[in-house]
Amino acid sequence: MTEATAVRRAVRSLFDPRGCPDPYPHYAVLRTHAPALRLPDGRILLSRHAECDRVLRNPAFRVEDEQWMDANLPGAGEHPAVHSLMAEMVNCNPPHHERLRRLVGTAFSPRRIAELRPAVTALVDSLLDRLAAGAGAGAAVDFMSGFALPLPITVIGELLGLPEADRAWFAPRVEAVTRAIEQDLTGEALKTADRAVEELWERLGDLVEQRRRDPRPDLVSTLIAAREADGDRLSRRELLANLVLLYSAGYETTSNLLGNGLATLLSRPELLARLRAESGRIGPWVEEMLRHTPPITLASRWAAEDTELAGVPLRRGAEVLLLLGSANRDESRYPDPDRFDPDRPVAANLAFGAGAHYCLGAVLARMEAEIAFPALLARFPDIALAQLPERRQGFGALNGFAELPLLLGTR
C-alpha cells in the first residue's frame, strides 16, 4: 500500500458517518505521513501535538464565531439553536470571550471546587448505593446512566442553582443541541435542537426571574448580579446561552472521562489491581486517562491571517481541524503513546484544550473523577464488564460510550 493510499484510507475511516471504533492506528498514519493534510474541501487536518498546541494557543487562529458563521453559513443565525450557540463563550473571540469567561470563572476557582468536595463525595456514595441496589441477583447495570451521567449532572446542577426536579428535564434537550452540532447544524437534528433551545431559554428565563427576586449562592444569581451591575457586560442572550453551555459542558466531558477511564481499567486487570493498591495517588491515573482516551477528540479553528502549518500554507479564513485524540498519542511527545502508563512523566496533554479557551471546568472534572474511581473500586472488588461496550455512533468531537454494562459482583 502506498503512503497516499494509506492516508486516504485513514481519513475515510476517521470521517465515516457511522463512527470509527478504533481511530488510533489511523491517527498514527496521519502523524507519520500527513501531519498537516489539506482535505478536498480545503480544510486542514492536523494530527501532531506541536501543531495542534500551536493553533490552540495562537490568537491568529480563532474559534468559529458569529462573524465566521455569517460569512460561511449566511442565514444560519436565524435558527434558535445557532443564535444560542454563537453567544456561548466557547464560540466567542476576543474581546467578548475574555469578558464572558471572567464573569463565569469565579464559580470554577480552585477554592470553590474544593468547597464542593464533601458534597461530591456524599453524592458518589449515594450513586454507588443505587448501582448496588440495581445489581441484585447478579443483574448487569449500566454505568453511564447509573453513575457517569447523574454524578456530573447533579454537581453542575448544584453549581448553577437548577432546581433538583428540573435536572432530568434539561439533559435530553441539551443533548439534542449536541447532536445537531455533531451533524453540522443541518437537517432534522437542527430542527430538534431549535425546539430544544426555545424550551431551554423559556425555562431558564423563568429561573432567572426567580433568582432576580430571590438571589441565592449559585452561579445563576452571580451572573444576574454581574449583568445588573453594568447592563453592557452581559446581555440576556449571553446569560441564557452560557447557562445552556455550562450545563452541557459540565457533564458531557466528565461522563466520558469516567466511562472511558473505567473501560480502560476493566480491559486491563493488572491496572485495576494496581489502582486499588495505590488509590491515594489517583491524580496521575486520571491524567493518563485524559491523555490515553480523551473525552473530546476534535476541535476546530479558522485562520485570521495568512500563515503556514507544518509547511502547508494557509490563507486567511481557512478552517483547521485539530485531532486532539491523535495529538495526545503523538510519539514525539509521549514515548510508547498507546500504552496506558500512570507513571508517565508529566507532560500536559490537550484533553481540555490549551490557551485562552482551555476548559473552564477542567478542575471540577478532575476532582469528580479523583473521588469517583477509588470509591467505585473499593465498593465493588469484583467489578467486570458484562459485555464489550460500543462507543457512541457517528463522527463527532465527543468520545465515549452510550452504555457501559457492568457486573458488580456484589456480595
Side-chain angles (χ1 to χ4, degrees), residues 45-357:
L45 191 63
L46 301 180
S47 50
R48 293 193 310 204
H49 187 283
E51 287 79 24
C52 289
D53 186 67
R54 173 189 163 191
V55 167
L56 290 171
R57 296 179 187 278
N58 189 339
F61 292 95
R62 302 189 176 187
V63 297
E64 294 162 356
D65 59 2
E66 201 155 26
Q67 174 189 354
W68 184 93
M69 188 68 66
D70 289 344
N72 291 272
L73 295 171
E78 297 175 7
H79 288 272
V82 179
H83 182 70
S84 181
L85 286 166
M86 290 300 103
E88 294 179 356
M89 60 183 169
V90 295
N91 295 319
C92 291
N93 289 298
H96 301 303
H97 174 259
E98 287 85 348
R99 175 174 59 89
L100 294 170
R101 190 177 176 101
R102 240 186 346 262
L103 289 169
V104 178
T106 54
F108 292 89
S109 67
R111 178 179 177 181
R112 176 68 178 115
I113 300 306
E115 291 172 350
L116 290 172
R117 182 173 284 272
V120 174
T121 300
L123 176 59
V124 165
D125 291 339
S126 174
L127 290 172
L128 293 179
D129 288 342
R130 285 170 49 186
L131 276 183
V141 294
D142 176 32
F143 178 71
M144 300 307 296
S145 62
F147 187 93
L149 283 166
L151 173 62
I153 282 175
T154 303
V155 172
I156 195 61
E158 288 291 329
L159 194 61
L160 289 172
L162 300 181
E164 185 173 352
D166 286 354
R167 291 169 193 167
W169 180 92
F170 274 87
R173 288 159 179 81
V174 170
E175 289 166 6
V177 179
T178 300
R179 284 194 295 272
I181 295 171
E182 292 185 332
Q183 297 182 33
D184 296 326
L185 298 173
T186 59
E188 288 300 317
L190 179 56
K191 293 179 182 178
T192 302
D194 284 342
R195 291 192 295 271
V197 165
E198 290 173 340
E199 293 172 357
L200 285 165
W201 276 36
E202 181 178 2
R203 183 70 66 96
L204 287 168
D206 291 343
L207 179 62
V208 166
E209 291 305 315
Q210 293 172 22
R211 291 294 184 268
R212 179 174 285 111
R213 295 189 301 268
D214 179 21
R216 299 183 184 181
D218 57 38
L219 185 54
V220 173
S221 300
T222 298
L223 293 179
I224 292 170
R227 180 187 180 208
E228 296 187 346
D230 181 350
D232 290 335
R233 296 184 70 198
L234 191 67
S235 68
R236 181 177 185 275
R237 176 194 178 195
E238 290 170 335
L239 173 59
L240 297 179
N242 282 284
L243 289 175
V244 174
L245 165 68
L246 290 169
Y247 185 82
S248 171
Y251 78 85
E252 288 179 330
T253 300
T254 305
S255 64
N256 286 339
L257 163 59
L258 294 171
N260 293 344
L262 182 59
T264 297
L265 293 175
L266 294 178
S267 69
R268 300 271 303 279
E270 72 280 8
L271 290 177
L272 202 64
R274 181 180 165 190
L275 179 53
R276 282 199 175 97
E278 56 181 68
S279 59
R281 64 178 295 268
I282 182 63
W285 286 77
V286 171
E287 208 58 34
E288 182 67 349
M289 291 172 188
L290 288 166
R291 183 203 69 82
H292 187 263
T293 317
I296 297 175
T297 60
L298 182 69
S300 63
R301 296 290 190 270
W302 62 275
E305 58 189 45
D306 292 349
T307 184
E308 62 83 27
L309 287 167
V312 176
L314 274 73
R315 299 296 299 271
R316 184 183 185 279
E319 188 177 1
V320 182
L321 297 179
L322 317 177
L323 294 175
L324 304 182
S326 176
N328 277 359
R329 299 263 189 125
D330 188 340
E331 44 282 299
S332 68
R333 183 172 177 84
Y334 308 103
D336 195 6
D338 294 327
R339 181 168 61 92
F340 186 96
D341 180 11
D343 296 324
R344 190 178 296 278
V346 176
N349 62 70
L350 300 182
F352 289 119
H357 281 82

